[in-house]
Amino acid sequence: MTTEITIKANPKFIKTFQKGFPLLNNDNVTANLDNHQEGTILNLVDSHHRFIAKGYYGKQNKGIGWLVSWKEHEAIDQEFFNRKFQQAVNQRLHFFYDEETTAFRVFNSEGDGFGGITLDYFNGYYLIQWYSQGAYSFKDEIIRAIRELPNYKGLYQKKRFAVEGKYMEEDDFVHGERPSFPLLVKENGTSFAIYLNDGAMVGVFLDQREVRKLIRDKYADGKRVLNTFSYTGAFSVFAALGGATETTSVDLANRSLSKTIEQFSINGIDYEAQNIIVEDVFNYFKFAVKKELSFDMVILDPPSFARSKKHTFSASKDYKDLLKEAISITEKDGLIVASTNCSTFDMKKFKGFIDKAFKEIGGSYKLLEEFTLPEDFKTINQYKQGDYLKVVFIKKQ
Ligand code: SAH
């Protein structure tokens, strides 16, 4: 049984909520929910006890819950979830019909009307990610709704609500068939090896689809490419397929070597002709400067926060310095692809880091392309923070 309680909006935020802002946090509501169970339905009211919206209690790093309906008499029941998922699918039908792209996001949290969960599609297999215990409390209805979705073969999950959104290691299989892994999917004709039951990450970050395509189709031909924080080497593979004369992938995780070899191999590229280096990127930059290496394209896609043996990297503090390192080993007229998924700063600030990096070095540049989240990672205007991705193609002049 889900319980239901009433909470009051902070008067300063009433307008914002009425317009559709979905996130509840300790600033914008006056409620102490500590004694309530996650998943409790919250009726948000104004100072006169008038209904604004309803949501649920679920603590995650961003807040304490999400508003999911602005209709007083809408129940959060099986029908509700069936409708939400159906709507999300309807907006992405062209993906389901596209034989060249068989991996994409089907449901993007608050962007699709229910914060705290995401759902991705991998060639008939679905992956749900739960961001709070509260979101997970709706699992029976949500899983039932997912089983009705197009081409459904099976469902996997990632629970990301241990501490601060951390992934909980367990068997991630939920229902249906288990494919044999790697599960091969396609993105604009290029293959990816996917592992749905092997830790927190599955092998690809789907939000970079358009960036990879542009690198392959427009920028890679004839270039020597350095791909830093390369993970499974997705950008390197697209660059190689686009005619790069050489790619160098650098990541400090041991797993990145075998994963990158696999990624090249399933796309028919001889990995031995590529450089795959397991090392701290910051050490690699030093090495590259010492050896006077230079590249025509340098890709930067660091995590928002990372700690290695010698370095702590925080995108909001250190991105500018990372750019300076990249600039110093990029050829004149070369390209830097700077990417970040850090949600604590916006595109304007990100461009500020870029400008400052070039100014401090005394160099000039031109911005060529710019990306935020692709359409399957749906976001809403009322919650701009949801569009966390920022990618800029910069020409060094
Ligand atoms: N660019 C990748 C995704 C990057 S995920 C893609 O397109 O798929 C972030 C990666 O950064 C992880 O694989 C992690 O191992 C790596 N990483 C974190 N800190 C690092 C460091 N100091 N040096 C090299 N790699 C690092």
Side-chain angles (χ1 to χ4, degrees):
M1 247 313 271
T2 38
T3 46
E4 211 166 314
I5 62 168
T6 296
I7 60 167
K8 268 194 187 152
N10 176 335
K12 280 195 281 188
F13 290 94
I14 289 174
K15 278 244 152 63
T16 311
F17 283 132
Q18 283 169 337
K19 284 187 196 142
F21 183 80
L23 182 65
L24 301 171
N25 60 41
N26 287 319
D27 284 341
N28 62 23
V29 294
T30 48
N32 183 355
L33 298 169
D34 289 345
N35 296 325
H36 291 277
Q37 245 186 16
E38 291 220 10
T40 297
I41 299 287
L42 307 174
N43 281 299
L44 183 70
V45 297
D46 67 13
S47 336
H48 303 287
H49 239 79
R50 284 177 300 219
F51 175 85
I52 302 172
K54 69 172 75 177
Y56 72 91
Y57 173 41
K59 274 200 236 169
Q60 60 181 85
N61 49 0
K62 294 176 180 170
I64 58 169
W66 295 96
L67 293 177
V68 299
S69 174
W70 278 256
K71 296 180 196 144
E72 190 165 3
H73 299 292
E74 187 169 43
I76 314 303
D77 55 8
Q78 186 64 57
E79 286 301 305
F80 172 87
F81 287 107
N82 292 350
R83 272 198 312 277
K84 289 280 161 205
F85 282 105
Q86 201 53 57
Q87 269 166 18
V89 164
N90 287 345
Q91 288 168 352
R92 294 163 173 87
L93 282 182
H94 66 98
F95 281 105
F96 285 98
Y97 288 118
D98 185 351
E99 286 173 12
E100 295 298 296
T101 297
T102 57
F104 52 90
R105 178 148 292 186
V106 176
F107 193 94
N108 195 38
S109 197
E110 77 288 344
D112 282 293
F114 195 91
I117 60 166
T118 63
L119 183 69
D120 294 329
Y121 178 88
F122 295 97
N123 206 5
Y125 294 89
Y126 285 80
L127 172 70
I128 184 161
Q129 311 210 47
W130 312 97
Y131 287 88
S132 71
Q133 185 76 52
Y136 189 63
S137 73
F138 298 99
K139 64 178 184 306
D140 293 344
E141 290 88 349
I142 291 176
I143 292 170
R144 230 174 275 136
I146 293 171
R147 286 167 58 177
E148 301 304 317
L149 298 183
N151 311 338
Y152 174 87
K153 291 203 186 89
L155 176 63
Y156 284 78
Q157 68 183 355
K158 305 285 171 205
K159 290 185 192 165
R160 296 189 181 275
F161 51 85
V163 195
E164 294 201 341
K166 265 222 173 77
Y167 164 75
M168 292 155 76
E169 189 78 53
E170 55 177 47
D171 180 7
D172 292 336
F173 175 72
V174 181
H175 172 266
E177 285 172 34
R178 290 177 189 252
S180 58
F181 293 114
L183 171 65
L184 293 188
V185 301
K186 271 200 235 164
E187 181 185 276
N188 292 308
T190 298
S191 297
F192 280 121
I194 301 297
Y195 296 82
L196 297 177
N197 209 352
D198 188 24
M201 304 196 283
V202 303
V204 65
F205 290 94
L206 295 175
D207 53 5
Q208 299 273 14
R209 178 189 313 112
E210 292 170 353
V211 180
R212 284 188 283 267
K213 184 174 191 309
L214 200 65
I215 288 175
R216 184 190 64 189
D217 297 351
K218 187 168 169 192
Y219 286 104
D221 198 23
K223 305 285 166 58
R224 290 166 302 135
V225 177
L226 173 64
N227 179 12
T228 63
F229 308 92
S230 56
Y231 182 40
T232 59
F235 287 124
S236 310
V237 171
F238 273 69
L241 289 171
T245 49
E246 179 188 295
T247 69
T248 301
S249 307
V250 183
D251 194 295
L252 62 68
N254 284 322
R255 60 163 190 244
S256 65
L257 177 61
S258 57
K259 297 255 176 206
T260 305
I261 290 175
E262 177 175 50
Q263 220 33 67
F264 277 121
S265 305
I266 60 169
N267 284 290
I269 302 163
D270 175 13
Y271 69 86
E272 288 182 333
Q274 312 295 329
N275 305 308
I276 307 169
I277 299 170
V278 177
E279 201 186 356
D280 191 314
V281 162
F282 300 98
N283 290 341
Y284 182 79
F285 279 130
K286 285 205 192 83
F287 163 84
V289 169
K290 206 164 103 199
K291 296 277 171 183
E292 297 181 4
L293 302 184
S294 69
F295 299 88
D296 306 309
M297 186 193 296
V298 176
I299 299 167
L300 302 172
D301 185 27
S304 299
F305 189 84
R307 188 172 282 142
S308 62
K309 280 192 197 106
K310 288 201 190 123
H311 292 273
T312 302
F313 175 84
S314 147
S316 56
K317 290 203 197 83
D318 305 319
Y319 211 110
K320 182 201 72 186
D321 290 335
L322 177 65
L323 280 159
K324 284 163 77 173
E325 307 244 32
I327 296 165
S328 71
I329 57 167
T330 303
E331 291 279 352
K332 184 171 179 302
D333 293 326
L335 192 67
I336 296 169
V337 177
S339 169
T340 180
N341 58 7
C342 186
S343 55
T344 60
F345 56 87
D346 61 8
M347 183 63 103
K348 193 164 167 228
K349 190 147 176 209
F350 190 43
K351 287 182 180 167
F353 296 158
I354 295 167
D355 195 60
K356 203 148 182 223
F358 276 94
K359 280 217 172 96
E360 287 182 12
I361 277 181
S364 61
Y365 67 99
K366 196 174 157 201
L367 299 182
L368 299 184
E369 315 266 359
E370 168 180 332
F371 289 90
T372 55
L373 284 176
E375 62 163 307
D376 51 327
F377 284 66
K378 198 175 169 228
T379 54
I380 49 172
N381 291 335
Q382 295 94 328
Y383 188 68
K384 293 256 190 290
Q385 303 90 309
D387 196 352
Y388 56 83
L389 185 70
K390 297 163 274 292
V391 186
V392 181
F393 286 44
I394 312 156
K395 186 175 176 185
K396 174 177 167 176
Q397 291 180 314

